[in-house]
Amino acid sequence: MKLKLDLRRNVRHVFVAAALAGAMLAAPATQAQTVTAVMQSGLRVVDPILTTAFLTRDHGYMIYDTLLGVDEHFKIQPQMASWQVSDDQKTYTFTLRDGLKWHDGKPVTSEDCIASINRWASVDATGQVLLTLVQSMEAVDASHFRIVLKQPTSLLLEGLSKISSRPAFMMPKRIADTPASQSITEFIGSGPFKFVAAEFKPGLKVVYEKNKDYVPRSEPPSWTAGGKVVNVDRVEWVGISDQMTALNALVNKEVDFVQQVPFDLLPMVENNDGLKVDVIDKLGAWTYFRMNHLHPPFDNKLVRQAALAAVGQEDVLKALVGNPKYYKTCAAVMGCGNPNGNDYGADWVIPSSLDKAKALLKEAKYDGTPVVVLQPTDIAMVSAQPVVIGAALRKAGFNVKMKAMDWQTAVTQQNNQKPADEGGWNIFATYSILASSGDPFGNTTLSANGKKAWAGWPDVPEIEALRLKYAQSADAGERKQIAAQIQKLAIDEGVVAPLGQFQIPAAYSARLTGILPAPVTVFWNLKKEGK
């Protein structure tokens, strides 16, 4: 057995060394200044409208841009465009800033932006509601376009500046005309980096080059707002699925940046003079699990409630994080500490309430239908939750089947609406950033319009009516009351099962400076000493 383990370890290290060597061989002869990063996993899904996956979102911020940005004070700012609004607050006129070009050299036009908004809005939880409030979208000329609303709402600017899951990335019209249900095949944006298609190896390597034609804004960078100034020639993401190997590569100066450090491996990089360890997203994230509402057994509300009751947050957080310094329990689906945070359900959602779970299963007449739990094995931030969830469900009386796979496979499988015995699923666990989860639109889990909702596909018309009411309101107090009603419905209907909040540390070479604190990982503004 020891010989087999040693062989596996050696093969893994040889593979990683070969991947890194290949990256160096592919580098330009002029020895461009390159930042080599190990992200949460290897990139395979490259269409940022097709998925809500964070890695694809981060890829989107490399090569695409957004019309509006959000700064660290949650204030919406111009990015690609500025805007003016009519006195009745229903007509918005957007003006594209000078110097915007697609990576193929063609100018960015209003028609491009309208097509991009339509593609994004057709699948995004915010965009879908926004479209019901839009009377018309039309190009005024090449650099101006107008959006007329049926009634005043802040949702237009909030949606176009959405920081995560899914940002409204702009694309050329010929690409944006692709139905949102189909992946685009051409990856041309107007953002600060260019995607090097010839060097893309799905899951193993993705290369970005500095967009020398990019004209950044003049304001200081802050989250997704301000100037996106690129100070390096290339950024390479290399896929290293084994986290210890990735950290060894960082210690040995083979890579410069590791996006997520597993908590149990922090001692490898802490107190190392050549490295820095930091929580880049200071607000942090919340983790949760989703149930498939379309098929048994979770098409039954009582069974969904049983699952929520069975799983204890402290058990999950201890397995995921370990160190209480980085986590806390929380029942609020819109985040503890956020203005809309509400603790309804905390008494039975935070602890493991096995007696309640068993009673609910008995009342539901659960018949032992298998529960297929997707189990990603290659990312520390999502690999612990399914194991704890599966164990808790078994204790409550569920028939659980774990389905192991890598994270990118899980991401693609999430969209499968077929029954579990036909390749579908019943439960998956993930996490979202708190910066974009504090309202019922930025929070992707709270769309509840059936098969048009995010994976899990809850159908709760009462939530959809409340979300629309929230969008129509301009009163902070009324919005908070609406959010409290949504919290109650989300828990009672089993729309999402909150598992607590945590922060994720990153580690990087001390030769890197200017890494921006932000809820998303960005590679503009940073500098590297040497090549």
Side-chain angles (χ1 to χ4, degrees), residues 15 63 143 258 265 272 297 308 317 343 357 379 381 396 441:
F15 174 79
I63 68 174
S143 58
V258 174
L265 298 183
N272 186 315
L308 262 76
L317 293 169
D343 65 357
I379 300 182
M381 302 306 157
F441 291 99

Side-chain angles (χ1 to χ4, degrees), residues 78 108 135 158 163 182 206 220 232 279 315 340 424 466 488 494 502 523:
V108 176
Q135 180 173 307
E158 291 168 353
I163 201 168
Q182 300 175 18
V206 55
V232 297
V279 173
D315 296 331
N340 288 330
L466 287 168
K488 184 176 187 304
F502 66 108
F523 287 85

Side-chain angles (χ1 to χ4, degrees), residues 40 243 260-263 320 377-385:
Q40 60 172 235
Q243 284 106 358
Q260 298 181 347
V261 180
F263 297 95
L320 172 65
T377 57
D378 61 329
I379 300 182
M381 302 306 157
V382 291
S383 61
Q385 297 94 316

Side-chain angles (χ1 to χ4, degrees), residues 187-493:
F187 306 98
I188 291 178
S190 65
F193 291 92
K194 292 182 177 181
F195 176 70
V196 184
E199 297 188 53
F200 179 49
K201 297 178 181 178
L204 298 177
K205 180 185 173 185
V206 55
V207 176
Y208 306 96
E209 289 182 344
K210 177 179 180 178
N211 178 9
K212 296 179 181 179
D213 292 328
Y214 185 77
V215 180
R217 298 191 66 87
S218 59
E219 301 91 346
S222 179
W223 284 15
T224 58
K228 300 178 179 181
V229 178
V230 175
N231 299 304
V232 297
D233 299 312
R234 285 166 62 97
V235 175
E236 298 182 0
W237 294 357
V238 294
I240 303 178
S241 60
D242 181 78
Q243 284 106 358
M244 183 174 290
T245 304
L247 291 179
N248 277 324
L250 180 65
V251 171
N252 294 329
K253 301 181 180 179
E254 295 168 328
V255 302
D256 303 299
F257 180 90
V258 174
Q259 186 184 32
Q260 298 181 347
V261 180
F263 297 95
D264 60 331
L265 298 183
L266 276 172
M268 287 182 62
V269 290
E270 289 177 326
N271 302 316
N272 186 315
D273 290 340
L275 301 177
K276 293 184 179 180
V277 178
D278 191 17
V279 173
I280 295 174
D281 177 8
K282 307 300 182 186
L283 292 177
W286 68 297
T287 184
Y288 52 88
F289 69 90
R290 292 278 281 188
M291 291 168 277
N292 188 334
H293 290 228
L294 299 181
H295 305 290
F298 294 125
D299 57 347
N300 185 319
K301 173 180 173 179
L302 294 175
V303 180
R304 296 195 296 270
Q305 290 180 344
L308 262 76
V311 183
Q313 289 193 2
E314 193 76 30
D315 296 331
V316 171
L317 293 169
K318 283 180 178 178
L320 172 65
V321 181
N323 187 345
K325 170 186 174 182
Y326 291 103
Y327 76 77
K328 67 177 180 180
T329 59
C330 174
V333 298
M334 284 176 260
C336 292
N338 280 342
N340 288 330
N342 183 284
D343 65 357
Y344 173 82
D347 56 328
W348 61 279
V349 169
I350 289 179
S352 175
S353 306
L354 286 176
D355 289 341
K356 181 180 180 68
K358 291 176 181 179
L360 285 164
L361 284 184
K362 183 177 180 180
E363 183 182 355
K365 298 180 180 179
Y366 171 64
D367 61 1
T369 298
V371 173
V372 174
V373 180
L374 301 187
Q375 183 188 3
T377 57
D378 61 329
I379 300 182
M381 302 306 157
V382 291
S383 61
Q385 297 94 316
V387 176
V388 178
I389 292 167
L393 294 183
R394 288 191 183 99
K395 289 179 181 178
F398 283 92
N399 176 15
V400 178
K401 294 186 177 180
M402 307 299 291
K403 191 173 182 179
M405 61 190 64
D406 63 53
W407 173 240
Q408 288 292 291
T409 301
V411 167
T412 57
Q413 191 154 352
Q414 283 173 15
N415 296 324
N416 188 339
Q417 294 186 348
K418 293 181 179 180
D421 59 2
E422 296 180 29
W425 55 273
N426 298 114
I427 282 181
F428 76 86
T430 185
Y431 67 93
S432 295
I433 59 174
L434 288 169
S436 64
S437 297
D439 67 78
F441 291 99
N443 191 322
T444 307
T445 71
L446 295 177
S447 61
N449 53 343
K451 289 188 176 182
K452 291 185 178 180
W454 186 52
W457 309 287
D459 189 357
V460 188
E462 297 90 341
I463 289 181
E464 288 303 290
L466 287 168
R467 291 174 74 230
L468 181 59
K469 189 176 179 181
Y470 186 98
Q472 295 168 334
S473 176
D475 180 81
E478 183 184 19
R479 280 188 155 193
K480 187 175 180 66
Q481 291 177 357
I482 295 169
Q485 295 176 62
I486 292 174
Q487 164 81 16
K488 184 176 187 304
L489 282 167
I491 295 299
D492 287 346
E493 295 290 335

